[in-house]
Amino acid sequence: MPQIRNKVPRELKFLLESNKKFLTSFSAKGKTIAERNKQRRRGCQITNRVKSDSPFVVSEIVKEPVQEEQESVTESEDEEMQDEETDVVKALSALNKEFPRVVIPISNPGGKASYLKVTTRQIKIRSEQIQPVQENLTGSERYFEDNAMQTGRFRAKKTSDDIINLIHNESALSPVIERHVEEFNEIESYITKYFNQWEFQLNFNQNILLYGFGSKERILEHYQAFHNKSKSITWVHFYGNDDLITLDLAYLTLLENLFGPKSKYSKFTLVRKADLIRDYFKTTDVKSIFKIIIHDINGSVFENHEARIALVLLSGIPNIHLLATSENINFFSVWNLIEVDRMNWHAHGITSYGNYKLSMANRKKIVKTCQNFGLEKNEVKSVLMSFNTHRREMFYTLANHIVEAKRKGDTNWNGISLNKFFNYCNKNLICREKKNFHLYLEDYVRQGIFISNKSRSDEARITIPMSFRDIKAMLLDKEIFGYLKG
Amino acid sequence: MSNKSVLKAIETSGRNPKLKSRLNNEQDLIKSGKLSNSFTGCFKEILFNGRESRKAVEIRYDDCDRNIKEVDYKINNFYFQMNEVLVNDLYNYIEDTYSDENDTHQFLKSRIFGLPTALVFGGYDPSRENLFESFARSLSEKQQTCVVLIDSTTVLKLEDLVTHTIRYFKYKNGSSFSGYNHFFAENTYNSDDEETIKDDEELEEDSIDEGQSNHDDESDDDMNLEEESGENDELTSLSVKDVVDIESLVKWYESNAKLHGLRSLPKLIIIIYNFDLLDPVIAEKYLHILNEHKSQIPIVLILGISSGYRGIDAIHEGYSYSVERLLRLKEFHLSDNIHNFDELIARFFIKNHFGVKVGIRPYNFLNDMYGRLKVSLKYFECSIKHVINYYFYSNPLSILTTIDPDEVSSRVDLLNKYHIEMIRMQPSFRRLVEHFIDEHSHPKVARSLLEDDNSVKSILPNILRDMKNYHQNFAVAFEIVHNLQQYVCDNPKLIKAKYELYSYALTHPGLGEHEHVRKLKFRDLKQFLENFQNVLEKAECVNSAIPKFFEKLEQIGNLLQSSIKLPKNKKRKKKTAILMQGEIDSIFALAPSSTTSQEITDKFTKLIDEIFEYLQVFFKKNLCHYSTKTLYEIFYWEESYSLEGLFLPRIRQSIATALGRPKQYLNYPAGKISYTQDDRCILYKLLVGFGKFIHINDWLESFENIIKKENRNITDDETKARFCRAFESLKIVGVIADAKGKRGYVRKMIWGKF
């Protein structure tokens, strides 16, 4: 570390000197605007390239036009400097925190180089990787920067898709070796000691809620085996992640157990069935015990009000013992307070670390939720906030268009054709070239904020998959679009 | 010798479980006991590793049952008893409605107001439904009414409401409640269901006169009868059996009214508790239906409302004026929570002289349960029952506690050496032994207590009696403190409720030395003393104190008489007893004018000081902390962890701990993220470094880096597979979720320290 530190000042000195050289030689170069523009573009390209080698150069204190010369010199000296330069990079990355970096904003959206004006200097202290000056780049200046980002993202997208596919392909998961089997078994055997306690509470007309990390299936199997000797127990399973029809069938089997097979109550609603079961136990004195195991009480089935009520009705019956497992960290996401209160839960934490079985039903749900395109406001917001103002404005333009079109009563109000959208963007000085427009658009589409729909006439239309109200609300968000009004 | 085994037994008995690890968080109820039958609900666990005597075990379990029944007795009808005034008001209200008109068939039609409706306000407590249930029960006994009790949480459709109404009506009028048995005996159930479904849709519209059959568990005979009933002669009354829907209900009322007069018919009382949970759309339609028939049926609505909105606002909240105007509202208020809780505390802990008591932590838990978190009597009941169960199931000495000390000798005989050893293990007993050595210098007694089982047995009844006396005196002194407050506190805000005072009593120095009691100064001394005397007289146990107080009271009386003659002097005792006219002037006259008055004042001050001192001593003695008593350990349940575990499960925390600190559960080597840990734990810990949205690829890479440390040759496929499995587990648990719109990203769902 100290060695590197010793080296740095020498490098700094050198770079400062070279900068001075450019400042003096600056006036000689680029006499016309066009020329300068050309040079700048060239410079910019070099900047990008050099940037990736040596982050230091960009952050030097210079006026905008000087940049190019600086780069070119660096380029020319590149070869001889190579060895030392890597040291510089190392040293700088080590010193990053202490070293103030100066970022030059280039504010010429119209393409007019304002090199006569001394640009304001913003000092930003950054500790992470050096970010390119992207906030204020426009037009083709962004080309490299955009491209660099995209290659990374494309790669990323591919692997993440791989992973998602892998998840849905169970056979791929088979090579995983089970680890810590002993410890898991130990924990499990520990939990089985509590079976008597559960039984005790169940007999007091309290229901058992099992929570904690890890699959509880095996423990429940043990529990069943534990009680298998008794013939007076009927086991019923409810699956929280299945659909309502399966649950309905479970109730039906329960009813058939009580009344014998009859077809007439198959038409009853769930609550009615539960009511019937409750009344049966009220009026008749039965000794048989029903143990209902509810796999995942927070499952999608119980998002249904009726399913919950039916279960609440069952919960009060002394002959019916409920054992439910709760896997999710948010227990109250599905159940409301009054329902929970009626359920008479006695909670037991059993952390088994058991591996979850990735059931078919669950997977279906995953796929379904993956396809749900409804965006949430805060999601969009977080994405928009990560964009620079130009890109953000693009969202604003489209959203505004949608709102206007709706007001006018346009039948196709929720979308816009590509060409029209580009024209809008061009008019609003968001992007002047179609290439950039597409780049920006791709960003949006990748993030899922814009969706392109093909209409009957084969014309691609762009929409935002949000409710109209949310779109309107987004427009009014000062945090995102406040700068437009200011 | 056997000390070690006893010590072990004490430890395993779970009286004071020291939690060695998180896994021990449950009561070790069944550790080594022999279980007889696990299905019938009668575990007979023999403690001390099976060395407890049979008889003792049986007595223990009998005691448990008895105590549980006692709880049921105290809790049952609790709300009903607490709200007797309100219940009476409601009775009167129901009786008064429809009574001012003449007894004609037409009287209902003359009403210009809407449906008579009682709004019953009470805090949020789901157990309040018991109140309504018992109210309904008593109502149907007292008056000729037909009570319909509807729980709005089970109402999903309008049909449910109507069905409930009809069912209750039929039940109240003799028909079997559900008729399920005969319903299932019949095999003639045919296509009625389809009709019913069709009818429901019609009902949705609004029409009341459609004649829907909402009650589908009636047999089809009823349907036929109903059709006939439409053409019935007006003179024959419709039987209850024929009532299948609102329409036929109306007909029933009409036909019976013609025969017997409307007044003789039962009023239809519809009680909907949790009215604010009922979907306004459904309730609105139901109210419209009822309103339509208000001229034919004497309906009284009772709506239980739990929301914060009071008065008409509760209706405004969900309903438009057009609905509101249908109702003629009257408000009733249930007793408030603090009052209820005070009563509960008094019933369970203060007035209960020999029962299981709780220490400060379980008490705070109960307080939280009832007062803040759940606001539910049911949870209170469950918690108390839990304490009682576990107390009797795990504490072999529990046979000594819940019995009158006079009869305790029979129980003492049941104690064996393990019991005695357990008694000797208790810190308070050891303190007693040391007391004998240090202060009384009776080393022999101390020695015999430690070595001779019989001497311990002989001393036990005394200790238990002492405990009982303490509890009795405590109850009296507590009552006095509670009453004293209103005489001494200028600021009504400073008056503490019983539950607050009791929590002071349970915290260490005890209520007697709590500054709230110390600060008490007198104002209405005479009134207070009279009150005090009454309390003392009521409580026979503190007889010894009474003569002294009579004396004091007389003295005060005498002094007061003399001071009435010299009103100026009374100001010395601050705001003295009876406020006489002219006394106000005297308050400003500080210096006593005459010598005689000076004497009286001195006397008075002296007396006041005496009384004050006496009271302080009295409080200090009787309101001392329970831990100063010998063998308090076997009376007081001081552990609250199992209660919290059962009723306030920390689901989120437990999962976070399992993932974040697997060392607690599994014997992993300590450290930060390491490849030795479970894949899921590694992934979970990696989450810390990410923001709200996590790119799966980044995550995978970091995961790979850690995994590769273990084994360089690990294949990509295996890494991915392991990653996926762990990934999916975390998703099931809810730590991460799909980042809906963003492909390739997941959303972090857990924040903060983890």
Side-chain angles (χ1 to χ4, degrees):
Chain A
M1 202 52 186
Q3 288 173 351
I4 299 168
R5 270 175 199 256
N6 290 338
K7 256 183 179 178
V8 176
R10 192 165 60 86
E11 302 306 329
L12 285 174
K13 218 184 263 174
F14 160 76
L15 282 162
L16 278 170
E17 272 169 17
S18 62
N19 275 339
K20 271 178 203 161
K21 255 187 234 168
F22 301 135
L23 279 168
T24 47
S25 60
F26 152 68
S27 52
K29 291 191 176 179
K31 276 164 194 165
T32 63
I33 292 173
E35 240 179 301
R36 277 172 205 165
N37 262 348
K38 222 188 258 172
Q39 279 168 356
R40 225 183 68 235
R41 220 168 286 148
R42 194 180 128 254
C44 202
Q45 288 169 20
I46 297 160
T47 320
N48 272 307
R49 197 178 61 75
V50 176
K51 228 187 292 172
S52 56
D53 291 335
S54 154
F56 181 72
V57 188
V58 197
S59 55
E60 201 37 61
I61 309 159
V62 269
K63 278 182 199 167
E64 186 213 330
V66 182
Q67 230 174 356
E68 50 192 293
E69 275 97 354
Q70 174 203 344
E71 256 80 285
S72 60
V73 170
T74 333
E75 203 177 8
S76 64
E77 285 176 0
D78 239 354
E79 282 165 17
E80 35 184 295
M81 290 284 297
Q82 203 115 48
D83 293 352
E84 286 194 21
E85 202 178 288
T86 48
D87 284 343
V88 177
V89 177
K90 271 187 205 162
L92 276 173
S93 53
L95 285 175
N96 245 341
K97 278 172 193 164
E98 298 114 45
F99 195 78
R101 179 159 296 108
V102 180
V103 179
I104 308 130
I106 306 162
S107 52
N108 50 347
K112 287 176 190 169
S114 57
Y115 33 80
L116 293 178
K117 200 175 81 190
V118 178
T119 49
T120 50
R121 292 172 183 182
Q122 280 182 344
I123 296 178
K124 287 188 184 173
I125 300 171
R126 296 194 184 183
S127 57
E128 339 96 300
Q129 243 186 342
I130 292 135
Q131 291 283 319
V133 193
Q134 60 163 286
E135 293 296 314
N136 300 296
L137 292 178
T138 52
S140 58
E141 289 164 350
R142 301 196 44 95
Y143 177 74
F144 287 96
E145 179 256 329
D146 281 341
N147 264 357
M149 278 171 78
Q150 272 150 31
T151 48
R153 275 205 205 127
F154 277 130
R155 191 176 58 90
K157 189 188 165 197
K158 213 180 154 214
T159 31
S160 60
D161 275 1
D162 275 359
I163 289 166
I164 286 169
N165 290 334
L166 197 65
I167 288 167
H168 303 309
N169 180 10
E170 210 163 74
S171 60
L173 296 178
S174 51
V176 179
I177 312 151
E178 292 283 338
R179 300 158 77 223
H180 310 293
V181 182
E182 270 177 39
E183 283 103 329
F184 293 165
N185 286 339
E186 201 180 309
I187 284 188
E188 244 177 56
S189 65
Y190 192 89
I191 293 164
T192 51
K193 281 182 190 167
Y194 289 98
F195 285 170
N196 276 318
Q197 197 185 352
W198 299 356
E199 192 57 38
F200 174 72
Q201 285 165 355
L202 286 171
N203 283 326
F204 267 88
N205 198 15
Q206 278 133 358
N207 300 313
I208 300 284
L209 176 76
L210 303 169
Y211 66 91
F213 180 70
S215 164
K216 290 145 197 95
E217 298 301 315
R218 269 182 67 180
I219 287 163
L220 288 172
E221 277 164 24
H222 283 309
Y223 182 75
Q224 279 198 53
F226 181 74
H227 287 300
N228 247 355
K229 293 164 212 158
S230 168
K231 280 175 188 167
S232 60
I233 297 179
T234 317
W235 297 88
V236 185
H237 293 259
F238 289 177
Y239 294 93
N241 280 320
D242 243 334
D243 44 10
L244 213 57
I245 300 161
T246 332
L247 189 71
D248 206 67
L249 281 175
Y251 274 90
L252 205 63
T253 48
L254 208 62
L255 271 177
E256 278 173 5
N257 248 310
L258 294 174
F259 299 107
K262 295 225 171 90
S263 61
K264 50 192 162 198
Y265 36 69
S266 61
K267 286 172 191 166
F268 290 177
T269 61
L270 217 54
V271 175
R272 211 52 234 285
K273 277 177 189 148
D275 224 13
L276 213 58
I277 294 167
R278 197 175 63 159
D279 286 341
Y280 175 81
F281 281 109
K282 249 188 204 169
T283 49
T284 44
D285 187 30
V286 221
K287 279 189 177 168
S288 61
I289 285 172
F290 289 84
K291 282 187 188 286
I292 301 178
I293 295 180
I294 304 154
H295 303 265
D296 199 357
I297 191 100
N298 291 319
S300 49
V301 170
F302 294 104
E303 281 165 21
N304 186 314
H305 188 201
E306 210 180 330
R308 291 203 303 270
I309 297 261
L311 202 61
V312 167
L313 286 176
L314 289 190
S315 73
I317 306 168
N319 290 53
I320 293 186
H321 296 173
L322 299 180
L323 280 110
T325 63
S326 155
E327 311 291 0
N328 206 291
I329 44 172
N330 301 313
F331 179 67
F332 290 104
S333 56
V334 176
W335 292 79
N336 73 36
L337 217 62
I338 287 189
E339 285 157 0
V340 171
D341 197 83
R342 297 239 175 116
M343 285 303 283
N344 251 346
W345 290 128
H346 267 201
H348 291 267
I350 51 168
T351 302
S352 67
Y353 283 94
N355 278 318
Y356 288 108
K357 272 179 207 154
L358 312 177
S359 65
M360 273 310 283
N362 197 19
R363 195 180 310 151
K364 261 185 227 159
K365 196 191 161 196
I366 293 167
V367 174
K368 220 185 249 173
T369 46
C370 279
Q371 282 167 349
N372 184 4
F373 284 111
L375 274 175
E376 275 174 35
K377 257 192 289 179
N378 50 355
E379 280 175 339
V380 176
K381 191 173 170 182
S382 67
V383 174
L384 283 179
M385 290 304 280
S386 72
F387 284 164
N388 63 20
T389 48
H390 282 281
R391 272 173 218 222
R392 252 189 257 175
E393 218 175 319
M394 199 159 163
F395 181 89
Y396 188 85
T397 315
L398 179 56
N400 215 10
H401 169 80
I402 288 171
V403 173
E404 284 301 322
K406 172 109 198 221
R407 194 175 297 156
K408 281 175 196 160
D410 194 340
T411 43
N412 267 336
W413 60 270
N414 65 344
I416 189 170
S417 71
L418 260 181
N419 274 334
K420 208 172 171 188
F421 193 24
F422 174 63
N423 288 342
Y424 272 132
C425 290
N426 206 359
K427 215 164 77 188
N428 290 336
L429 305 175
I430 294 167
C431 43
R432 299 175 64 79
E433 292 172 39
K434 205 139 195 183
K435 194 169 69 184
N436 279 316
F437 173 70
H438 281 291
L439 282 175
Y440 287 12
L441 208 60
E442 216 173 312
D443 268 349
Y444 272 105
V445 171
R446 207 174 295 125
Q447 301 285 11
I449 294 177
F450 289 175
I451 287 179
S452 71
N453 288 337
K454 275 206 172 158
S455 64
R456 272 183 215 157
S457 55
D458 240 4
E459 182 198 26
R461 291 181 70 82
I462 297 172
T463 57
I464 304 174
M466 287 167 82
S467 67
F468 181 71
R469 230 177 57 196
D470 282 358
I471 292 176
K472 243 176 146 179
M474 291 300 294
L475 282 179
L476 296 173
D477 197 324
K478 273 188 184 167
E479 224 177 314
I480 313 172
F481 298 117
Y483 70 98
L484 282 171
K485 279 146 203 164
Chain B
M1 28 154 254
S2 60
N3 270 7
K4 272 183 188 170
S5 65
V6 175
L7 193 67
K8 223 178 182 179
I10 293 166
E11 270 175 18
T12 50
S13 72
R15 265 299 278 134
N16 298 308
K18 294 273 180 303
L19 301 166
K20 281 153 203 144
S21 75
R22 286 186 60 83
L23 278 176
N24 272 335
N25 61 5
E26 300 300 334
Q27 275 292 308
D28 258 4
L29 170 67
I30 288 89
K31 204 99 192 199
S32 55
K34 290 170 189 167
L35 300 158
S36 55
N37 186 355
S38 53
F39 296 115
T40 49
C42 50
F43 294 100
K44 292 271 164 75
E45 189 196 357
I46 301 166
L47 296 173
F48 295 135
N49 290 332
R51 281 169 300 196
E52 198 184 6
S53 73
R54 266 265 161 218
K55 213 171 171 197
V57 176
E58 262 157 31
I59 284 186
R60 200 152 51 85
Y61 287 98
D62 288 348
D63 273 4
C64 180
D65 285 347
R66 191 162 49 83
N67 275 278
I68 292 281
K69 273 175 196 149
E70 237 168 70
V71 173
D72 282 337
Y73 174 73
K74 281 173 189 163
I75 293 273
N76 256 348
N77 283 341
F78 173 75
Y79 276 122
F80 195 64
Q81 287 158 9
M82 288 302 291
N83 294 295
E84 268 175 351
V85 181
L86 172 108
V87 168
N88 273 331
D89 286 354
L90 276 177
Y91 282 148
N92 294 337
Y93 176 71
I94 290 166
E95 208 163 315
D96 292 347
T97 47
Y98 303 110
S99 64
D100 44 347
E101 284 96 345
N102 294 325
D103 191 6
T104 60
H105 175 57
Q106 292 293 314
F107 80 93
L108 290 169
K109 284 182 180 165
S110 67
R111 285 186 298 119
I112 48 163
F113 292 118
L115 291 163
T117 308
L119 293 179
V120 182
F121 294 98
Y124 162 78
D125 181 358
S127 324
R128 272 183 325 137
E129 63 201 52
N130 293 334
L131 166 73
F132 289 110
E133 269 164 27
S134 29
F135 175 69
R137 220 178 299 129
S138 69
L139 195 66
S140 43
E141 284 164 13
K142 267 195 174 179
Q143 299 178 14
Q144 202 211 3
T145 49
C146 167
V147 186
V148 178
L149 197 64
I150 295 171
D151 175 9
S152 40
T153 48
T154 58
V155 173
L156 297 169
K157 286 175 291 205
L158 179 59
E159 184 207 341
D160 298 339
L161 271 175
V162 180
T163 315
H164 277 302
T165 315
I166 302 295
R167 266 175 74 179
Y168 272 98
F169 176 77
K170 293 191 69 164
Y171 172 62
K172 288 286 144 58
N173 288 286
S175 181
S176 72
F177 179 53
S178 49
Y180 286 116
N181 290 332
H182 79 252
F183 157 58
F184 279 103
E186 284 167 19
N187 291 319
T188 52
Y189 196 87
N190 43 34
S191 60
D192 278 1
D193 266 340
E194 284 140 42
E195 273 178 48
T196 318
I197 294 160
K198 216 192 292 164
D199 287 341
D200 295 340
E201 280 156 14
E202 287 165 19
L203 194 87
E204 285 297 302
E205 288 310 306
D206 79 334
S207 58
I208 298 96
D209 308 325
E210 292 291 313
Q212 313 88 337
S213 92
N214 293 299
H215 196 39
D216 27 19
D217 61 357
E218 300 311 317
S219 64
D220 52 355
D221 298 326
D222 288 349
M223 292 294 293
N224 298 333
L225 274 171
E226 188 224 337
E227 280 159 25
E228 287 164 20
S229 73
E231 302 140 20
N232 257 355
D233 262 351
E234 287 184 355
L235 282 174
T236 54
S237 69
L238 211 64
S239 81
V240 177
K241 229 181 145 193
D242 302 335
V243 177
V244 286
D245 58 5
I246 293 280
E247 180 66 10
S248 53
L249 183 70
V250 172
K251 274 180 190 150
W252 186 86
Y253 266 99
E254 274 184 343
S255 58
N256 279 292
K258 276 175 190 165
L259 285 178
H260 315 290
L262 198 52
R263 188 161 293 264
S264 64
L265 297 180
K267 285 170 191 164
L268 187 67
I269 317 286
I270 299 171
I271 303 177
I272 307 178
Y273 48 86
N274 298 330
F275 182 69
D276 28 13
L277 295 180
L278 193 61
D279 187 357
V281 180
I282 298 170
E284 211 166 290
K285 283 177 189 161
Y286 187 62
L287 290 178
H288 275 295
I289 293 176
L290 293 181
N291 185 57
E292 200 72 16
H293 297 296
K294 71 182 175 192
S295 52
Q296 289 122 2
I297 310 173
I299 300 169
V300 182
L301 271 175
I302 297 179
L303 309 177
I305 288 176
S306 56
S307 71
Y309 293 100
R310 292 258 152 170
I312 192 77
D313 287 349
I315 300 292
H316 271 321
E317 171 70 354
Y319 301 89
S320 64
Y321 177 70
S322 62
V323 178
E324 200 187 300
R325 71 180 174 82
L326 301 179
L327 307 172
R328 184 174 46 172
L329 300 169
K330 189 160 197 260
E331 288 177 31
F332 296 89
H333 293 272
L334 289 176
S335 62
D336 62 341
N337 250 347
I338 292 178
H339 189 204
N340 292 346
F341 192 54
D342 271 5
E343 177 60 28
L344 275 181
I345 294 301
R347 275 189 196 191
F348 278 97
F349 302 122
I350 300 171
K351 289 177 189 163
N352 183 10
H353 300 321
F354 27 81
V356 192
K357 310 252 174 181
V358 292
I360 182 69
R361 270 186 296 167
Y363 176 76
N364 282 342
F365 174 81
L366 289 174
N367 194 352
D368 283 352
M369 269 322 218
Y370 190 77
R372 290 210 300 272
L373 296 168
K374 303 280 184 186
V375 204
S376 161
L377 187 65
K378 194 172 174 185
Y379 272 91
F380 185 86
E381 182 190 345
C382 283
S383 316
I384 288 272
K385 279 187 178 170
H386 170 82
V387 167
I388 287 175
N389 272 332
Y390 281 67
Y391 173 76
F392 283 101
Y393 275 62
S394 62
N395 182 4
L397 291 177
S398 56
I399 50 171
L400 295 175
T401 51
T402 58
I403 187 166
D404 200 306
D406 300 329
E407 296 161 30
V408 87
S409 54
S410 61
R411 301 274 174 112
V412 170
D413 295 339
L414 293 172
L415 301 182
N416 60 21
K417 60 179 179 178
Y418 301 104
H419 285 108
I420 304 290
E421 275 310 316
M422 190 177 172
I423 288 174
R424 286 187 186 130
M425 302 308 295
Q426 306 303 330
S428 64
F429 191 80
R430 276 185 256 165
R431 202 173 51 208
L432 178 78
V433 172
E434 277 162 24
H435 199 65
F436 271 114
I437 301 169
D438 296 340
E439 287 179 25
H440 300 290
S441 58
H442 287 311
K444 274 187 188 170
V445 179
R447 194 188 169 93
S448 71
L449 279 180
L450 287 178
E451 287 178 352
D452 185 13
D453 287 359
N454 284 330
S455 67
V456 176
K457 279 187 187 177
S458 64
I459 205 178
L460 265 179
N462 288 334
I463 293 175
L464 296 178
R465 195 165 298 123
D466 187 40
M467 203 69 180
K468 188 198 166 193
N469 286 340
Y470 164 69
H471 284 148
Q472 279 175 338
N473 292 348
F474 179 87
V476 174
F478 188 85
E479 199 62 31
I480 291 167
V481 170
H482 187 242
N483 284 332
L484 183 59
Q485 285 185 108
Q486 52 189 328
Y487 299 108
V488 296
C489 290
D490 297 329
N491 187 354
K493 277 182 190 165
L494 291 178
I495 294 178
K496 307 269 182 196
K498 272 186 193 170
Y499 77 92
E500 277 173 292
L501 288 177
Y502 193 65
S503 90
Y504 294 148
L506 290 178
T507 355
H508 179 59
L511 186 61
E513 291 176 48
H514 193 270
E515 56 177 26
H516 180 71
V517 173
R518 283 185 174 187
K519 272 184 192 163
L520 296 178
K521 294 265 157 41
F522 305 107
R523 203 172 56 188
D524 270 348
L525 192 63
K526 181 141 189 281
Q527 260 185 46
F528 163 66
L529 281 178
E530 273 165 7
N531 199 326
F532 191 25
Q533 190 195 345
N534 284 341
V535 176
L536 285 179
E537 271 170 359
K538 257 188 250 166
E540 294 152 10
C541 56
V542 226
N543 276 332
S544 57
I546 291 182
K548 212 176 173 187
F549 264 86
F550 275 136
E551 200 181 292
K552 293 240 155 87
L553 197 68
E554 269 170 30
Q555 284 177 18
I556 291 254
N558 292 338
L559 275 173
L560 277 177
Q561 276 181 354
S562 56
S563 64
I564 284 164
K565 293 168 198 158
L566 302 160
K568 283 188 175 182
N569 302 323
K570 269 194 292 169
K571 64 122 282 292
R572 257 320 238 331
K573 33 165 189 157
K574 288 186 183 165
K575 303 119 203 178
T576 352
I578 308 149
L579 285 170
M580 304 287 296
Q581 353 135 324
E583 201 190 39
I584 299 138
D585 316 341
S586 70
I587 287 172
F588 299 101
L590 273 167
S593 51
S594 67
T595 46
T596 46
S597 65
Q598 179 69 50
E599 271 171 30
I600 291 170
T601 318
D602 286 347
K603 252 188 184 174
F604 212 102
T605 343
K606 211 180 155 195
L607 191 60
I608 297 274
D609 286 345
E610 253 173 48
I611 293 173
F612 184 69
E613 254 169 49
Y614 176 82
L615 272 183
Q616 287 296 340
V617 173
F618 178 79
F619 287 149
K620 208 168 180 176
K621 193 181 136 214
N622 289 314
L623 291 175
C624 59
H625 193 243
Y626 63 86
S627 67
T628 53
K629 298 288 159 198
T630 310
L631 286 188
Y632 73 92
E633 292 96 336
I634 65 170
F635 282 87
Y636 283 82
W637 174 269
E638 288 188 299
E639 174 267 337
S640 68
Y641 200 92
S642 70
L643 277 174
E644 281 164 25
L646 279 182
F647 298 105
L648 297 174
R650 293 177 183 161
I651 295 175
R652 197 183 189 93
Q653 197 190 33
S654 106
I655 291 174
T657 319
L659 287 167
R661 283 174 209 162
K663 205 193 157 215
Q664 305 267 351
Y665 293 92
L666 311 163
N667 285 326
Y668 290 147
K672 289 176 187 169
I673 312 176
S674 105
Y675 59 85
T676 51
Q677 286 167 356
D678 195 75
D679 292 343
R680 292 162 295 184
C681 301
I682 297 173
L683 263 199
Y684 179 77
K685 286 184 176 178
L686 285 172
L687 273 179
V688 181
F690 290 98
K692 186 177 181 183
F693 290 98
I694 303 156
H695 200 286
I696 295 177
N697 198 40
D698 295 346
W699 209 10
L700 174 65
E701 261 173 36
S702 339
F703 179 73
E704 211 172 345
N705 287 339
I706 287 162
I707 294 294
K708 287 250 165 94
K709 278 181 202 158
E710 176 189 18
N711 182 6
R712 282 255 161 214
N713 305 325
I714 200 163
T715 59
D716 265 11
D717 278 351
E718 197 191 328
T719 323
K720 267 186 199 164
R722 277 170 70 173
F723 175 80
C724 285
R725 197 167 249 212
F727 176 86
E728 206 53 15
S729 292
L730 291 189
K731 213 169 185 179
I732 288 173
V733 163
V735 172
I736 51 168
D738 293 308
K740 289 165 191 167
K742 298 179 83 176
R743 279 212 78 166
Y745 281 83
V746 285
R747 193 152 42 126
K748 193 156 99 178
M749 301 298 279
I750 190 163
W751 300 93
K753 269 188 193 171
F754 57 90

